[in-house]
Amino acid sequence: MHIPDGYLGPGTCAFFYAVMLPIWLVASRMVKKALKITQVPLLAIGAAFSFVIMMFNIPIPGGTTGHATGGVLVAILIGPWAACIAVTVALVLQALLYGDGGLTAIGANCFNMAFVLVFTGYYVYRFISGNSPINSRRRVAAAGIAAYLALTIAAFFTGVEFGLQPLLYHTSGGTAFYAPYSLKVAVSAMVGEHILVFSWVEAIVTALVIKYLQKQDPALLSGGI
Amino acid sequence: MKTTAKLGIAILVLAILTPLALFSSAYFKAGPGWGEGELTKGPKLWKALFPNYTFRGWENKGLLYSGLSYAVSAVIGIAFCLAAALLLTRLLTRKKR
């Protein structure tokens, strides 16, 4: 899901940087205003967790690989704004240190994984959890379903971004300058492989960690900003 | 032990296990993420420290080498994430102290 350099046209890259800029500003302000000192290590651990879980590329035999992001779990623990910052830190470092995701595509990659995914996951979790007790099974299920939906929707957005490129940037003869796949192909590939494989991994990881924390340290599950 | 310390240890264990993902991808002959591996054209804007989580010069030395550099890259990445996130939140919440 990490879009490399050269796959999105300059306008698309600029657009997503422009979209992310105010989101990053609000997220910084929220962290500044509402993050408790005790939550600071959790934000840092969230960034590190997101970083390392994204390295677990799961193979589709003979095909491509994909991965979970940990973003929904981080959002449940520290809230979506702080999670946006945490996942952004992971994505920027992946691009800078390891070339995983392009520098020009950081806006788009952060939009998909640090904004769409994190906020969708957080609010689906909150909606399904309702007023259920912190240690209820309903919250474990809510976390799993939220993670599944959030990664799938993030994959949909990534597919749309890929798929719009040949429409936006092509020669007069119709040859694509950047990512060459049609909208239909890109969206069905991205959404399909996530529905079948990768979103399940995100769901299982998220639900299991929430279940563990319910026993280990339930206070952590009630403190998001 | 505090939960955050336990989670920190869990993340380090995950880092050490990351080569398993690399090995299974090689075993099942699975390529990079969808749409990520096909284009090679385009200007290189930035030279990453270790492109694709592999030490320079270790790209074609076999799975054991790429596995080792993958795990070390994971540990380095985790250290950078912790440092960057702590620094950033410290800068943002400075006035509170």
Side-chain angles (χ1 to χ4, degrees):
Chain A
M1 198 179 276
H2 293 58
I3 303 171
D5 284 323
Y7 284 68
L8 301 181
T12 311
C13 292
F15 173 78
F16 281 106
Y17 266 105
V19 169
M20 280 312 293
L21 201 64
I23 295 172
W24 282 323
L25 281 175
V26 174
S28 305
R29 225 167 263 167
M30 289 296 288
V31 165
K32 186 176 186 170
K33 211 172 69 183
L35 194 77
K36 300 184 197 90
I37 298 296
T38 50
Q39 288 175 317
V40 169
L42 216 50
L43 191 153
I45 281 181
F49 175 70
S50 181
F51 182 97
V52 78
I53 201 74
M54 288 197 248
M55 286 183 72
F56 277 87
N57 288 314
I58 298 134
I60 293 177
T64 61
T65 52
H67 54 74
T69 67
V72 178
L73 177 64
V74 180
I76 293 171
L77 294 182
I78 57 177
W81 293 107
C84 175
I85 297 285
V87 178
T88 296
V89 166
L91 290 171
V92 169
L93 286 171
Q94 283 170 338
L96 286 179
L97 297 176
Y98 303 114
D100 194 6
L103 286 196
T104 54
I106 281 178
N109 285 328
C110 287
F111 177 79
N112 301 330
M113 288 179 268
F115 177 65
V116 171
L117 177 132
V118 155
F119 277 82
T120 308
Y122 180 76
Y123 284 105
V124 171
Y125 168 78
R126 287 287 300 267
F127 178 74
I128 299 177
S129 296
N131 290 322
S132 60
I134 288 292
N135 60 356
S136 63
R137 279 192 177 178
R138 181 160 158 187
R139 287 197 180 244
V140 177
I145 295 166
Y148 186 90
L149 286 176
L151 186 59
T152 306
I153 291 170
F156 170 79
F157 274 93
T158 311
V160 170
E161 289 150 24
F162 273 130
L164 284 178
Q165 300 312 304
L167 299 174
L168 292 171
Y169 306 99
H170 53 79
T171 61
S172 50
T175 312
F177 279 128
Y178 303 103
Y181 304 100
S182 74
L183 196 56
K184 202 174 146 193
V185 168
V187 170
S188 28
M190 284 306 293
V191 172
E193 61 179 24
H194 282 80
I195 280 183
L196 289 175
V197 186
F198 311 133
S199 297
W200 289 101
V201 182
E202 184 91 37
I204 291 164
V205 169
T206 308
L208 284 179
V209 178
I210 294 298
K211 196 170 167 57
Y212 168 77
L213 290 175
Q214 282 182 336
K215 287 207 188 100
Q216 170 73 27
D217 199 347
L220 283 187
L221 296 175
S222 49
I225 62 168
Chain B
M1 201 194 297
K2 276 180 72 179
T3 311
T4 40
K6 282 188 183 172
L7 293 175
I9 291 168
I11 288 169
L12 273 183
V13 171
L14 282 177
I16 293 162
L17 294 178
T18 51
L20 293 178
L22 205 66
F23 299 155
S24 62
S25 298
Y27 180 79
F28 288 111
K29 297 186 168 46
W34 189 87
E36 287 173 27
E38 290 84 354
L39 290 182
T40 45
K41 60 177 184 185
K44 262 272 165 241
L45 294 159
W46 172 257
K47 250 187 134 127
L49 177 67
F50 302 134
N52 290 320
Y53 306 92
T54 312
F55 298 154
R56 286 163 195 276
W58 282 28
E59 293 88 354
N60 300 313
K61 284 186 134 186
L63 264 188
L64 221 58
Y65 287 88
S66 37
L68 181 63
S69 53
Y70 205 63
V72 174
S73 297
V75 174
I76 295 174
I78 287 168
F80 269 94
C81 278
L82 292 175
L86 288 175
L87 194 71
L88 193 64
T89 42
R90 176 154 296 200
L91 285 175
L92 287 172
T93 55
R94 196 169 35 185
K95 286 200 181 113
K96 259 197 224 171
R97 276 152 222 268

